[in-house]
Amino acid sequence: MTGTEIFIAFGSNEEPHRHLKEGIKQLRDIVTDVKLSSCYRSRSCNGGADYLNMVVSARTQERSYSTLVIQLKEIEKKCGRIKNSEHRCALDLDLLLFGELIIDNVLPHDDLYRYPHVLVPFCELAGEREDLLYHVKYRELMDRRDFVESESLTEIDII
């Protein structure tokens, strides 16, 4: 396999089944070797509708972190990304890892350490991978993490 391995967090709380599927479809146009985690329902941090969250791994020929982020933001726009006062979001994509790079302390994305709806699906795809900052396996980070009860996850089918 060629290209850089990437991991992207997907989240939606507005027509999430439709928006997650559309986001994955559009992502396949710019990357290869796409793998999907399970999808999880979690409560919104802002009191809005519940979110559906998952993580996608893929390979890209893109060498620029910034360009890849711009491409992900374009996918969000094409999927009708909306954030409004009702705390609804059509599609939110966050680049969690871009190969083995740590760029200006941006990667790994801090959501990976803060939220179970990001770390749990990430560990399905890369739990045995060593974290670039803490130098332990991601599964160990998940096992040591004391998640807040309000952040409980429910696995659901989307595809």
Side-chain angles (χ1 to χ4, degrees), residues 2-144:
T2 62
T4 302
E5 186 175 34
I6 59 173
F7 292 87
I8 304 163
F10 275 64
S12 175
N13 76 342
E14 182 165 313
E15 296 183 61
H17 288 83
R18 180 171 72 90
H19 287 116
L20 291 175
K21 287 179 185 178
E22 181 61 27
I24 292 164
K25 178 182 170 194
Q26 289 190 32
L27 181 69
R28 289 180 192 275
D29 291 339
I30 63 170
V31 299
T32 60
D33 196 28
V34 174
K35 294 182 180 84
L36 310 176
S37 74
S38 299
C39 186
Y40 294 90
R41 179 180 309 278
S42 64
R43 291 189 184 136
S44 171
C45 300
N46 301 321
D50 287 354
Y51 271 81
L52 296 187
N53 299 280
M54 62 189 304
V55 171
V56 175
S57 71
R59 293 204 167 266
T60 181
Q61 296 302 317
E62 181 56 57
R63 294 181 182 267
S64 166
Y65 165 80
S66 299
T67 301
L68 185 58
V69 169
I70 290 168
Q71 290 173 334
L72 295 177
K73 295 306 169 195
E74 285 300 315
I75 291 172
E76 287 179 344
K77 286 180 192 175
K78 288 177 185 175
C79 289
R81 177 163 177 151
I82 300 169
K83 271 196 167 181
N84 60 29
S85 60
E86 296 175 8
H87 304 291
R88 303 190 66 75
C89 183
L91 187 63
D92 183 22
L93 303 178
D94 291 313
L95 183 57
L96 300 174
L97 283 177
F98 184 76
E100 297 291 325
L101 298 178
I102 299 177
I103 304 169
D104 296 329
N105 294 322
V106 171
L107 291 175
H109 195 287
D110 63 344
D111 283 358
L112 195 52
Y113 306 105
R114 294 174 34 190
Y115 301 114
H117 63 263
V118 177
L119 184 58
V120 170
F122 178 85
C123 282
E124 287 181 18
L125 300 174
E128 297 306 311
R129 185 183 187 115
E130 186 175 292
D131 176 72
L132 300 171
L133 298 176
Y134 297 104
H135 305 290
V136 297
K137 292 180 181 179
Y138 283 101
R139 190 165 313 285
E140 292 175 38
L141 287 177
M142 186 176 70
D143 291 342
R144 293 191 311 209

